[in-house]
Amino acid sequence: MNIGKLINLISAQIPNLAQLPFYGLSSVLPKKKNRWVFGSWFGDKYSDNSRFFFEYSIECQDIDAIWISKNRSLVSELKSRGINAHYFRSLKAIYYQMTAEMAFFTQSISADLYSPAIAGKSKKIQLWHGLPIKKIMRDAATGEPTSKSVRFIRKCFPFLGHRQDYVISTSEETTDIFASAFGLERQQILCSGLPRNDVFQKRSSAKEDKPFKVLYAPTFRGDVGDSLDMFSDFGFDIDKVDKVLCEQDIQLFIRMHPVNKPPNHISEAIGKSRNISFSDGVDVYDEIDSYDCLITDFSGIYLDFIITERPIIFAPFDFSSYMNNDRSLYYKYEQVTLAPYCYTWEEILDALLALNSNNNFDSIQLDYQRIKNKFHSPRTDGLSNCERLFNMLDFIVRSNTR
């Protein structure tokens, strides 16, 4: 390494050097029993598994549950609702994180919380944000060796890397995958089910005939903030689609992945339509159980929705391109999805009309059950996922104090 690169490398570590004392102090500070800190989605959202388990924990006796966020506006909003929330680098937040018995997150500690403040005996619980169809973490690595300088920096500043003591899963199948992806032992994978999926236990068995509500939720592509056009290139004639949906009393809601956005001209056209709109609530799991049908491609959201045993239309428009440019899958696509597949919006429209006119899904129940049971272990304990996870963590704490 030449002198210039060495100087640049050292200069880049000045912020990390400033944070190192927090990590050292957190390593020696005693942890306060039942103090749990939570964060989610890069510290920017109050959503997903962290949110649902946080709200469950609030109701549990003696648990001091604290929400940590990097979004000052969100902190103010949560506080106005009586929620114990703090900005991640405020003195109180740093103290709470340093003394937390457990820390919960959906991306990583460094993304969702203030990583230097979480060390020592704090248990780090990775709740993750989806079930594994696309390869993730170590399994998605390119295989290129990490440079010596990067390895040295990570050794000097342990708070920069991914850290988790436990990861939650939903079945034996997903337990094996998460153990591989995160480089953990199987006993570090807690097969509790996802807290966000408790919404399906509360649904009403009654179904309204009209309107037929459909959610289109494509997976993440490219980089954070990328514009994503899954419409123009695949025959999305908005006037035709909207006209047919109106005639059939079908409402189509579009929900892009949180880190992607559609092109402006698509957003403007959808804004002028009658039966097509964006689903832009903070958390899709507040509404997911209200839909009669899901359209998706490679998004793990279908493995949540399949719990409902309602129809799913698979539309892998750009299958070859996605496999080559984004990420590979753990399975052959045909093994864990349901044919027939739609490759244009015209084919999607035909599939929707067939579903809406028939409304009889008995023919797909066996295939649904096969996939559902693969990714969601049948439960006989009568517990919610939140309650099951709470009991598992309680057992871990009691075992460590014996």
Side-chain angles (χ1 to χ4, degrees), residues 270-289:
I270 289 173
K272 298 174 183 177
S273 65
R274 291 176 293 171
N275 276 34
I276 308 173
S277 58
F278 284 105
S279 160
D280 54 7
V282 174
D283 196 337
V284 68
Y285 292 91
D286 283 331
E287 62 190 52
I288 190 171
D289 195 44

Side-chain angles (χ1 to χ4, degrees), residues 19-91:
Q19 297 180 102
L20 196 56
F22 291 103
Y23 185 80
L25 185 57
S26 179
S27 298
V28 298
L29 275 178
K31 308 309 174 186
K32 183 171 176 57
K33 180 177 174 59
N34 294 336
R35 174 169 288 162
W36 294 2
V37 294
F38 296 75
S40 182
W41 279 101
F42 307 100
D44 190 52
K45 297 181 183 296
Y46 179 64
S47 65
D48 218 300
N49 288 313
S50 284
R51 171 205 158 190
F52 284 95
F53 193 54
F54 172 75
E55 292 180 350
Y56 176 86
S57 301
I58 289 174
E59 302 300 323
C60 295
Q61 187 176 8
D62 297 330
I63 296 298
D64 181 18
I66 303 157
W67 190 267
I68 305 295
S69 175
K70 299 181 179 182
N71 183 331
R72 293 183 185 275
S73 296
L74 176 61
V75 169
S76 297
E77 177 195 338
L78 294 177
K79 283 185 173 180
S80 71
R81 292 158 52 184
I83 292 175
N84 190 6
H86 297 273
Y87 183 66
F88 80 123
R89 281 183 175 172
S90 69
L91 289 178

Side-chain angles (χ1 to χ4, degrees), residues 220-265:
F220 163 71
R221 287 170 173 79
D223 295 318
V224 174
D226 277 0
S227 179
L228 180 63
D229 190 352
M230 301 305 297
F231 305 93
S232 304
D233 294 339
F234 304 100
F236 189 73
D237 184 333
I238 191 165
D239 291 331
K240 176 183 176 182
V241 172
D242 194 38
K243 180 176 182 294
V244 173
L245 295 180
C246 289
E247 291 172 350
Q248 298 296 320
D249 201 9
I250 300 174
Q251 292 181 345
L252 174 63
F253 295 85
I254 297 171
R255 187 167 185 107
M256 308 303 292
H257 190 278
V259 298
N260 287 141
K261 57 183 179 180
N264 289 335
H265 70 278

Side-chain angles (χ1 to χ4, degrees), residues 136-139 176-184 330:
I136 60 171
M137 300 300 293
R138 295 187 178 196
D139 294 342
D176 289 336
I177 290 177
F178 281 133
S180 171
F182 289 96
L184 300 175
Y330 281 108

Side-chain angles (χ1 to χ4, degrees), residues 128-178:
W128 204 234
H129 51 272
L131 292 181
I133 294 299
K134 303 177 292 291
K135 289 188 176 181
I136 60 171
M137 300 300 293
R138 295 187 178 196
D139 294 342
T142 61
E144 297 178 0
T146 304
S147 68
K148 289 183 180 179
S149 58
V150 171
R151 291 199 299 270
F152 177 73
I153 290 169
R154 289 178 180 174
K155 189 173 182 179
C156 292
F157 307 108
F159 52 84
L160 295 179
H162 281 273
R163 295 177 292 145
Q164 46 270 316
D165 298 306
Y166 297 94
V167 178
I168 65 171
S169 71
T170 58
S171 68
E172 291 296 309
E173 184 84 12
T174 58
T175 291
D176 289 336
I177 290 177
F178 281 133

Side-chain angles (χ1 to χ4, degrees), residues 133 171 173-174 302-303 306-307 309 314 331-341 362-378:
I133 294 299
S171 68
E173 184 84 12
T174 58
Y302 88 85
L303 290 177
I306 206 166
I307 294 174
E309 299 180 14
F314 289 94
Y331 310 90
K332 289 185 177 179
Y333 191 64
E334 298 80 6
Q335 291 178 325
V336 290
T337 58
L338 300 170
Y341 303 115
D362 292 343
S363 61
I364 61 175
Q365 290 303 302
L366 288 178
D367 286 334
Y368 267 57
Q369 285 296 333
R370 172 181 60 82
I371 299 174
K372 176 182 173 182
N373 292 340
K374 185 182 188 71
F375 291 98
H376 299 277
S377 295

